[in-house]
Amino acid sequence: MLPDLTQYLENIRSDARLGYSDDTGVMSELEAHIEDKLQELTEAGLTEEEAVRTCLSQMGNTRSIARQIYEAYSQGTWKQAILASMPHFLFGLLFALNWWQYPGWLSIVLVLIIATTAYGWYHGKPAWVFSWLGYSMLPVVVVGLMLLYLPRGWSLLALPIYFPLALWWLIHVIIMTTKRDWLFSSLMLLPVPIVIGWFLAISPSGKFTEDSLERIYYFAPWIGLSFMALALTISVFIRLRQRWLRVGLLAASGLATLSLIVYYATGRLNSLAFLGPVMVEWGVLLFPLLLERRFRNSRIRSLRRGNTHGTSIIPTA
């Protein structure tokens, strides 16, 4: 395959961000269409390179084609929207009904989340699985918090081992998710600034005390409301077709939820406590985007090197 044609198809595949179930069929159909077009052009007397240039010119801009493909295949069904919003709804329910204080209910929810995440991850990684994936990280966070309460000697021994392993695992998950679509990585991390915001509201000192438990009881309805708002956000996200609307929805939802947290925790919105979660939110949105661009540039360089001695896509008689 000629380098220009390879690059053209790779740009479309990268920008279209198709799911695993759609990618092969859509790209095969597109390649078949290009092959037919090239066959017509060469039979009309054009050379191979002239046929490729003419074909790509007639096909149009790769981003325009990728956007049309994305909007045609990105919209999820109502079933997928409900599945994607379910983990947020479950956590909202735990706090709205004050079930968070019962280890049995917490264990049931965590087991359900981990099992559902594993099922979705090993069955094609559909769009709905990424919101579940974010909550599957909670056991790792809980373990880290528990290590803080160990005797000082054990804590100093365990934390230097735990944090590098936890950070490596988190980055590994983010990388795998970003390779599918950076928006799904942001979707997975969306609860993180919300959780941090409520944690700071409940335990400003960073440690749980008796006062912290009382504050959980006080804030429980609002904590439940914030997770319910996330559930609604995710269901709308899955149903949207336009990518720019999805980006705007995640940004607006995160900012609105953080505003609710800070307002009900401090009574005002000009608190410095607002700055930390907001910075985390922007990191959640921008870090996967920057990571994806780095992967894409690396892939493009690899393709350019690998196709120096490429073969022709034009069928021979």
Side-chain angles (χ1 to χ4, degrees):
M1 187 179 294
L2 293 176
D4 289 346
L5 189 53
T6 301
Q7 185 65 64
Y8 187 87
L9 291 171
E10 178 58 28
N11 286 344
I12 293 176
R13 173 182 279 111
S14 178
D15 289 337
R17 297 174 174 87
L18 294 169
Y20 297 101
S21 59
D22 296 323
D23 183 85
T24 302
V26 172
M27 295 308 299
S28 296
E29 184 178 345
L30 182 60
E31 289 184 20
H33 175 71
I34 291 177
E35 287 180 359
D36 293 340
K37 188 65 177 177
L38 290 175
Q39 183 74 43
E40 294 176 6
L41 293 172
T42 53
E43 289 176 354
L46 297 181
T47 64
E48 180 178 317
E49 292 185 357
E50 291 174 340
V52 170
R53 286 197 299 269
T54 302
C55 178
L56 298 188
S57 176
Q58 293 177 353
M59 289 284 293
N61 184 272
T62 58
R63 290 190 176 182
S64 177
I65 296 174
R67 185 177 65 252
Q68 294 176 36
I69 293 174
Y70 180 86
E71 292 179 359
Y73 289 90
S74 63
Q75 185 183 44
T77 63
W78 282 110
K79 178 181 178 180
Q80 292 172 330
I82 293 173
L83 281 172
S85 64
M86 192 57 66
H88 305 292
F89 178 78
L90 289 175
F91 265 83
L93 206 61
L94 283 176
F95 286 95
L97 300 178
N98 274 325
W99 289 352
W100 58 270
Q101 56 188 312
Y102 301 110
W105 283 113
L106 289 173
S107 300
I108 290 173
V109 170
L110 286 176
V111 169
L112 178 61
I113 285 174
I114 293 173
T116 305
T117 302
Y119 175 85
W121 190 260
Y122 291 105
H123 286 79
K125 301 179 180 66
W128 59 262
V129 77
F130 295 101
S131 56
W132 292 82
L133 184 59
Y135 286 97
S136 68
M137 299 179 186
L138 280 177
V140 179
V141 176
V142 171
V143 169
L145 292 174
M146 292 174 63
L147 292 178
L148 295 174
Y149 293 91
L150 289 175
R152 183 174 179 81
W154 286 103
S155 179
L156 292 176
L157 179 64
L159 290 176
I161 299 174
Y162 166 81
F163 280 113
L165 290 176
L167 185 61
W168 171 85
W169 181 78
L170 175 62
I171 293 175
H172 181 65
V173 172
I174 292 174
I175 288 175
M176 288 191 299
T177 308
T178 302
K179 287 181 177 179
R180 164 71 188 276
D181 187 342
W182 72 268
L183 259 186
F184 288 145
S185 187
S186 296
L187 186 71
M188 174 188 72
L189 298 172
L190 186 62
V192 172
I194 309 304
V195 172
I196 291 175
W198 281 122
F199 180 79
L200 292 176
I202 292 168
S203 300
S205 64
K207 287 191 175 183
F208 280 101
T209 62
E210 292 184 2
D211 290 339
S212 299
L213 289 176
E214 292 181 4
R215 291 172 73 87
I216 293 179
Y217 278 108
Y218 177 76
F219 287 125
W222 301 110
I223 296 175
L225 178 62
S226 65
F227 283 107
M228 294 292 185
L230 283 182
L232 178 61
T233 297
I234 300 311
S235 62
V236 174
F237 176 94
I238 295 297
R239 291 292 296 167
L240 287 175
R241 292 179 182 270
Q242 291 80 8
R243 189 171 182 80
W244 67 272
L245 285 176
R246 287 184 163 187
V247 175
L249 177 66
L250 292 186
S253 173
L255 184 61
T257 308
L258 288 176
S259 299
L260 180 146
I261 294 171
V262 174
Y263 180 77
Y264 282 102
T266 66
R268 61 188 189 278
L269 291 177
N270 60 346
S271 172
L272 289 177
F274 191 35
L275 182 61
V278 168
M279 295 298 293
V280 173
E281 183 199 355
W282 283 109
V284 163
L285 285 174
L286 296 179
F287 176 70
L289 173 61
L290 298 176
L291 193 62
E292 183 187 69
R293 288 186 175 180
R294 181 176 180 181
F295 290 151
R296 180 175 180 177
N297 292 335
S298 177
R299 188 164 57 246
I300 289 173
R301 289 193 296 268
S302 177
L303 282 171
R304 287 174 177 173
R305 290 194 300 266
N307 284 285
T308 304
H309 303 289
T311 57
S312 173
I313 190 175
I314 301 175
T316 57

